Structures are given as C-alpha cells and as structure tokens.
Amino acid sequence: MKAAFVMVKCELGRLEEVANAVMELDGVSEVHSVTGSWDLLVKLFAPSYEAFGDLIPDLLQKVPGVRETQTMLAFRAFKPS
Amino acid sequence: MKAAFVMVKCELGRLEEVANAVMELDGVSEVHSVTGSWDLLVKLFAPSYEAFGDLIPDLLQKVPGVRETQTMLAFRAFKPS
Amino acid sequence: MKAAFVMVKCELGRLEEVANAVMELDGVSEVHSVTGSWDLLVKLFAPSYEAFGDLIPDLLQKVPGVRETQTMLAFRAFKPS
Amino acid sequence: MKAAFVMVKCELGRLEEVANAVMELDGVSEVHSVTGSWDLLVKLFAPSYEAFGDLIPDLLQKVPGVRETQTMLAFRAFKPS
Amino acid sequence: MKAAFVMVKCELGRLEEVANAVMELDGVSEVHSVTGSWDLLVKLFAPSYEAFGDLIPDLLQKVPGVRETQTMLAFRAFKPS
Amino acid sequence: MKAAFVMVKCELGRLEEVANAVMELDGVSEVHSVTGSWDLLVKLFAPSYEAFGDLIPDLLQKVPGVRETQTMLAFRAFKPS
Amino acid sequence: MKAAFVMVKCELGRLEEVANAVMELDGVSEVHSVTGSWDLLVKLFAPSYEAFGDLIPDLLQKVPGVRETQTMLAFRAFKPS
Amino acid sequence: MKAAFVMVKCELGRLEEVANAVMELDGVSEVHSVTGSWDLLVKLFAPSYEAFGDLIPDLLQKVPGVRETQTMLAFRAFKPS
C-alpha cells in the first residue's frame, strides 16, 4: 500500500463535520485538526500512487465543507535503526 | 501525550542522512519523505504542547542538514465512528 | 493563561465590522488592522493550548465576515533582562 | 506612537539568543516564540510609520542570527466597546 | 505624498472591468495587468500612511470584481545618483 | 511561437470537466493533473508574449470550474547538447 | 513511463549553467526558464512514481547551483477529443 | 518598450547598498523599499519581453547583496478614461 498526506481547509465553522465525514472514507487512516493555515491533516492509503489521482478529486474533495486540499505523496517511511 | 507534525526542508542532497538522524530523536514516531515543497513530514509526541516549544528548536532544528521547519500542532484526532 | 495570535482575512469591505465583533469575544485582548496579505492580527488568551483547538473554529471562525484564519500559538514570551 | 508586528525567522538553533537580543532593541515591546513557519513575533513602536523603514533594516535585521523578516504595520487598534 | 503598491486578484474574467474602475479612484496613478499569481499591480498615493488604512478597505476593496488584495507601503524611493 | 505554463485550481470535484474543456482551447498543447496545491498544469502557445495577456483572462479563466490561475511565461527552452 | 514536473530555483546568476546540466540528466525531457518565483520548469520521466523519490534528491538536487526544488507528479495527461 | 516589476529580497542589512546599485542598471526606472516579505520593488523597461529573460538573471540577480527575485511582466497599462 502507498501512503499520502492531504492538508484540508474547511469552510469556516464546519471543521468537525468535515473531519468526521473524511474519517469514514475508504483508505483514510488518520485525521488530525492542526494549527496554522490548514485545518486538517489526513493520512490515507491506496494500492498505487496512480489511485490517489482519482481518490482525492473524486472522493475527498467531494466531502461537503471541504474548501481546498493540498496533497503530499509519501515515498519512503524511515524506520528507527 | 500530545502530537505535532513538523515539515522539514533539508540541505539539498542530504535527505536520507537527515531522515535517519531525525528518526533517532526521542518522541519521533514517523518520518516520511514527501513530494512538494517540503522534503520530510515528521510526526512526534511530547507530554505537553509547551514541550514542543523547546523540543523543536533545541533538538529537531539542530540535526545537521535541517534547513527549515514548519510546525503544526495536532489538537484532535478524529476516530472512525 | 496561554496566548495565541490569529491572522484574519475578512470578506472585502467588512474589516471594521469583523474587527469590532472579534473584539467582543471572550479571551480576545488585542485586534489590529495590518498591512500585507492579512487584514487583522488578533491576540487572544485561553486557559490551555488545547482550548484554542475549539475556540478558533467554534468562536472566531464563526464571526460573520471572517474569510480565512491562520493561527500561531505563542510559546514563550521573552522579557527585557 | 505607531505600532508594527515583525515576523522573524532565525538561523536554526539560535532562537533564544535572537529573541533575547531583539528584546533589548529600542522600541521593541513584545517578543513571542510562535508555532508555524516563523520563529518569533515581535511587536515594536516608533514615532512614525516612516521610522520603521529605517528601524527594521538597520536595527532588527542586523541582529546576529536573524535570517528573514516580514513586516506588518498596524494601522488601527480596535477597542472593546 | 506617500506611495503604496497594491496587488489585486480579480474574479475570473473581470480583469478589464476592475482595472478600469480602479483607475478612476482618487489617488490611483498606475494600474498594470501582470503575470503570475496576481492580476493587477496598482500604484496609489495618499497624504499619509495612515490614510491607506482606510483607503484600501473602504475604496479599493469595494470595487466590484476585486477578490483579494495585498498591500505594500513604499518607504523610500531611490534615485539615480 | 512563444510558450507559457499555467497552473490551474479547479472548483472541487470538477477537475476532469475543466481539464477536458481547457484541452479544447486554441493554443493549448498539454494538460496534466498534478499533485500539490494546484490541480492542473497547462502548456499553451501564442504568437507573442503579449497575446498571453489577453488569452489567459479572456479564454482560460472563463472556462467554467476554473477557480484560480498562475501564469509562468517560458523564455528559453534548453536543449540537450 | 510516469511524468513529473519540477520547479527549480538556482543560485543567483547560475541559471544557464544549471539548465544545461539538468538537461543532461537521464529522464529529463524539457527544461524551460520561466518568469515568477521559480527559475526553471523541468519535465522528467521515470519508470514508476517511486523512482522520482530517489531521482530528485539523488540526481536533480545534486546538480551544482540548484538551490531549491518543488515537485509535482503528473497523474493524468488529458488529450484533445 | 515593455515594462516589468521585480520584487527583490536583499541580504539582511544591505538594502540601501542594493537599492543604489540596482538604480544604476540600464532600463531601471524606479526602486522603492516596501513593507512585507520583499525588500524592494523595481520597475524596469526593455525593448521586448524576451529581453527580460536575459536582463534579470544576467544583470539584476548579479548585483551583490541580491538574495532572491520574483518577476512580474506588465502587459497592459490602464489609463484614466
């Protein structure tokens, strides 16, 4: 499985509703509310990197109350030695 | 325990060395190399939010090869219902 | 008490109305209109850092005319020696 | 007196030294370490807005360990009614 | 007289209409359409820096079709020796 | 012919529709969906750089579902030696 | 083959030298100098998305004179109907 | 003649020296120190847009003390009716 992190900005005042809806999407494993200019950090998994190209516009961006997203694909996970 | 995510930019060509060194720091639980304008996404834990105020400038930013950091504190972790 | 600074972008032409409404919120101690890409800089206090995680989406972002916010938690206040 | 807020990025690992030095500058009234992409938020006063045009490049930017600054002039301070 | 430069983002497809309306505002001396992430660069004059604190939210931001603005106050104009 | 690259942000959930419509515009030679904070990267050609000054606000920004654009003019194309 | 676009910032005054060196790297198909905040836009190909995770830090970022990079993976190429 | 605006960031403490040197370059007509994240706004002219593709890396970026530049080409100058 491949991992991606997606930063999400919500319509103002809808953070909790969006976070709960995102949490129910297939492949989403973590949703955190964060300080700064983004509202949520989402970790999700897909069988291939190509799959994120569909998953994010077709699923995540269609959650009501999502206003903007920024995707970072995770390439390597470093492990303690 | 409280969680924070730190985006890290490395000196060019030193990503792997930095990732391995960061992985060894106390409280660090995940290090991923990511696409976009940042090189690494780091998840770390501390007993209180105040602790990050010391931990990040005193430990993480002193790892050789770290060039820039941006911290997001994680407030709420949403769980599947 | 813990402090945070929140940058606020208002709907165009509603700066004064937003500033006055923000000024009335519990915990807000200063509101300044500023040059640059943000309209207002707000200083606010809460009993704990966790409290900002609710206060900002639930109170500040719900002020009519607020368009976007960016939060910086203040960790240490430096004093003249 | 006029007020300005200056965001400051420090050379990595020199935050505390910079904050203490900035605190000693004439006109500086508050220095806070903050989360996010900037290290310090500085509040300072000068007799006129023009004065900031000299004060920031000539004093603040010359503090050893300062790496980058971004200035916001404060125009109006809103007061509780 | 004091000078300021304001970057303006227009609602899509309304650039020309906005530019013409901005050009008619008191104090505006130049309006250029520019490449990049902003649509227009506006140069304007006011009797004092404080005046921009009103002029920009009260006049410029109220031009129909203006979507976002970012202000830079001009402190010193350098002259050929 | 001169080349330009335009980054495009679409209204959420309309990426595919926008990409197909942009692809049909005169002068557009490539449209790619990309990771990060932009949705599409568009390569287009015009007989002169001046022509982009009209083409982008008058054609590209008027495609339904386009939310924001950022233009980079391409000056020199480097060739393998 | 998979495609990626990489924005490159060069050390000042070394744009041409960097562009020529990047052009010689395996997998690089286009290098353009562009207006805005980046100096070069590079299009490159690799057999898989994972490969970019090595190729960019290990090859592209090690070209002398490269100062900063930002990667966008290209997922779908849209074609005229 | 074609116009461009270039935002310039200087090495800290060298603003005045850079501004004076930039002012002497061929084609430069205005240099202003500005508030915000950039230090100088430079207006310059060239016989064609292509010429900026050489002029900025070859002349402006080579002025000692220039740290970063961002170019906006000016397409249309709007005139009062």
Side-chain angles (χ1 to χ4, degrees):
Chain A
M1 291 294 276
K2 307 302 179 187
F5 293 92
V6 186
M7 307 307 306
V8 176
K9 210 173 275 184
C10 305
E11 287 171 24
L12 300 187
R14 300 183 67 180
L15 184 151
E16 191 154 357
E17 169 197 351
V18 172
N20 285 320
V22 168
M23 201 60 233
E24 302 305 315
L25 299 178
D26 273 353
V28 169
S29 70
E30 297 181 38
V31 178
H32 302 266
S33 69
V34 290
T35 59
S37 53
W38 295 94
D39 295 313
L40 299 172
L41 184 153
V42 177
K43 187 177 183 179
L44 72 171
F45 289 95
S48 69
Y49 290 115
E50 284 85 342
F52 292 117
D54 295 323
L55 211 142
I56 291 160
D58 292 350
L59 254 81
L60 187 61
Q61 294 193 344
K62 287 187 174 159
V63 169
V66 167
R67 195 158 57 128
E68 191 149 354
T69 67
Q70 181 171 335
T71 303
M72 297 176 283
L73 301 189
F75 277 126
R76 286 184 272 177
F78 292 82
K79 291 270 145 39
S81 54
Chain B
M1 291 294 276
K2 308 300 179 189
F5 293 92
V6 186
M7 307 307 306
V8 176
K9 211 172 275 184
C10 306
E11 287 171 23
L12 300 187
R14 301 183 66 180
L15 184 150
E16 190 152 358
E17 169 197 351
V18 171
N20 286 319
V22 168
M23 201 60 234
E24 302 306 314
L25 298 177
D26 273 353
V28 169
S29 70
E30 296 180 39
V31 178
H32 302 267
S33 69
V34 290
T35 58
S37 53
W38 296 94
D39 295 313
L40 299 172
L41 183 153
V42 177
K43 186 177 185 180
L44 72 172
F45 289 96
S48 69
Y49 290 115
E50 284 84 343
F52 292 116
D54 294 323
L55 212 141
I56 291 160
D58 292 350
L59 253 81
L60 188 61
Q61 294 193 344
K62 288 186 174 160
V63 169
V66 167
R67 195 159 58 127
E68 190 148 357
T69 67
Q70 181 170 334
T71 303
M72 297 176 282
L73 301 189
F75 277 129
R76 286 184 272 176
F78 293 82
K79 289 272 146 35
S81 55
Chain C
M1 293 294 277
K2 307 301 180 188
F5 293 92
V6 186
M7 307 307 307
V8 176
K9 211 172 275 184
C10 304
E11 287 171 23
L12 299 188
R14 299 183 68 180
L15 183 151
E16 190 153 358
E17 169 197 352
V18 172
N20 285 320
V22 168
M23 201 61 232
E24 303 305 315
L25 299 177
D26 273 353
V28 169
S29 70
E30 296 181 38
V31 178
H32 303 267
S33 69
V34 290
T35 58
S37 53
W38 295 94
D39 295 313
L40 299 172
L41 183 154
V42 176
K43 187 178 184 178
L44 72 171
F45 289 96
S48 69
Y49 289 115
E50 283 84 342
F52 291 116
D54 295 323
L55 211 142
I56 291 161
D58 292 350
L59 253 81
L60 188 61
Q61 293 192 346
K62 287 187 173 160
V63 169
V66 167
R67 195 158 55 128
E68 191 149 356
T69 67
Q70 181 170 336
T71 302
M72 297 176 282
L73 301 189
F75 277 128
R76 286 184 272 176
F78 292 82
K79 290 271 146 35
S81 55
Chain D
M1 292 294 275
K2 307 301 180 190
F5 292 92
V6 186
M7 307 307 306
V8 176
K9 210 171 276 183
C10 305
E11 287 171 24
L12 299 187
R14 300 183 66 180
L15 184 150
E16 189 152 0
E17 169 197 351
V18 172
N20 285 320
V22 168
M23 201 61 233
E24 302 305 314
L25 298 178
D26 274 353
V28 169
S29 70
E30 297 180 38
V31 178
H32 302 267
S33 69
V34 290
T35 58
S37 54
W38 295 94
D39 295 314
L40 299 172
L41 184 152
V42 177
K43 187 178 185 179
L44 72 171
F45 289 96
S48 70
Y49 289 115
E50 283 85 343
F52 292 116
D54 294 324
L55 212 141
I56 291 160
D58 293 349
L59 253 81
L60 188 60
Q61 293 192 344
K62 288 187 173 159
V63 169
V66 167
R67 194 158 57 127
E68 191 147 357
T69 67
Q70 181 170 334
T71 303
M72 298 175 281
L73 300 189
F75 277 128
R76 286 184 273 178
F78 292 83
K79 290 271 145 38
S81 55
Chain E
M1 293 294 276
K2 308 301 181 189
F5 293 92
V6 186
M7 306 308 305
V8 176
K9 210 171 275 185
C10 305
E11 287 171 23
L12 299 188
R14 300 184 66 180
L15 184 151
E16 190 153 359
E17 169 197 351
V18 171
N20 285 320
V22 168
M23 201 61 233
E24 302 305 314
L25 298 177
D26 273 353
V28 169
S29 70
E30 296 180 38
V31 178
H32 303 267
S33 69
V34 290
T35 58
S37 53
W38 296 93
D39 295 313
L40 299 173
L41 184 153
V42 177
K43 187 178 185 179
L44 73 171
F45 289 95
S48 69
Y49 289 114
E50 284 85 342
F52 292 116
D54 295 323
L55 212 142
I56 291 160
D58 293 350
L59 253 81
L60 188 61
Q61 292 192 345
K62 287 187 174 159
V63 169
V66 167
R67 195 158 57 127
E68 190 148 357
T69 67
Q70 181 171 335
T71 303
M72 297 176 282
L73 300 188
F75 277 128
R76 285 184 272 178
F78 292 82
K79 290 271 145 37
S81 56
Chain F
M1 292 293 276
K2 307 301 179 188
F5 293 92
V6 186
M7 306 307 306
V8 176
K9 211 173 275 184
C10 304
E11 287 171 22
L12 300 187
R14 301 183 65 181
L15 184 151
E16 190 153 356
E17 169 197 351
V18 171
N20 285 319
V22 167
M23 201 61 233
E24 301 306 314
L25 298 177
D26 273 352
V28 169
S29 70
E30 296 180 38
V31 178
H32 303 267
S33 70
V34 290
T35 58
S37 53
W38 296 94
D39 295 313
L40 299 173
L41 183 154
V42 177
K43 187 177 184 180
L44 72 171
F45 289 95
S48 69
Y49 290 115
E50 284 84 342
F52 292 116
D54 295 322
L55 212 142
I56 291 160
D58 293 350
L59 253 82
L60 188 61
Q61 294 193 343
K62 288 187 174 158
V63 169
V66 167
R67 195 158 58 127
E68 191 149 356
T69 67
Q70 181 171 335
T71 303
M72 297 176 282
L73 301 189
F75 277 128
R76 286 183 271 177
F78 292 82
K79 290 272 147 35
S81 54
Chain G
M1 291 294 275
K2 308 300 180 189
F5 293 92
V6 186
M7 306 307 306
V8 176
K9 211 172 274 184
C10 305
E11 287 172 23
L12 300 187
R14 301 184 66 180
L15 184 151
E16 190 153 357
E17 169 196 351
V18 171
N20 285 320
V22 168
M23 201 60 234
E24 302 305 315
L25 298 177
D26 272 354
V28 169
S29 70
E30 296 180 38
V31 178
H32 302 267
S33 70
V34 291
T35 58
S37 52
W38 296 93
D39 295 314
L40 299 173
L41 183 154
V42 177
K43 186 177 184 179
L44 71 172
F45 290 95
S48 69
Y49 290 115
E50 284 85 342
F52 292 116
D54 295 323
L55 211 142
I56 291 160
D58 292 350
L59 253 81
L60 188 60
Q61 294 193 343
K62 287 187 173 159
V63 168
V66 167
R67 195 158 57 127
E68 192 149 355
T69 67
Q70 181 171 335
T71 302
M72 297 176 282
L73 300 189
F75 276 127
R76 286 184 270 177
F78 292 82
K79 290 271 147 36
S81 54
Chain H
M1 292 294 275
K2 307 301 180 189
F5 293 92
V6 186
M7 306 308 306
V8 176
K9 211 171 275 184
C10 305
E11 287 171 23
L12 298 187
R14 301 184 66 180
L15 183 150
E16 190 153 358
E17 168 196 353
V18 172
N20 285 320
V22 168
M23 201 60 234
E24 302 305 314
L25 298 178
D26 273 353
V28 169
S29 71
E30 296 180 39
V31 177
H32 302 266
S33 69
V34 290
T35 58
S37 53
W38 295 95
D39 295 314
L40 300 172
L41 183 154
V42 177
K43 187 178 184 179
L44 73 170
F45 290 95
S48 69
Y49 290 115
E50 283 84 343
F52 292 116
D54 294 323
L55 212 142
I56 291 160
D58 292 350
L59 254 81
L60 188 61
Q61 293 192 345
K62 287 187 173 158
V63 169
V66 167
R67 195 158 57 127
E68 190 149 356
T69 67
Q70 180 170 336
T71 302
M72 298 175 282
L73 301 189
F75 276 128
R76 286 184 271 177
F78 292 82
K79 290 272 146 35
S81 56

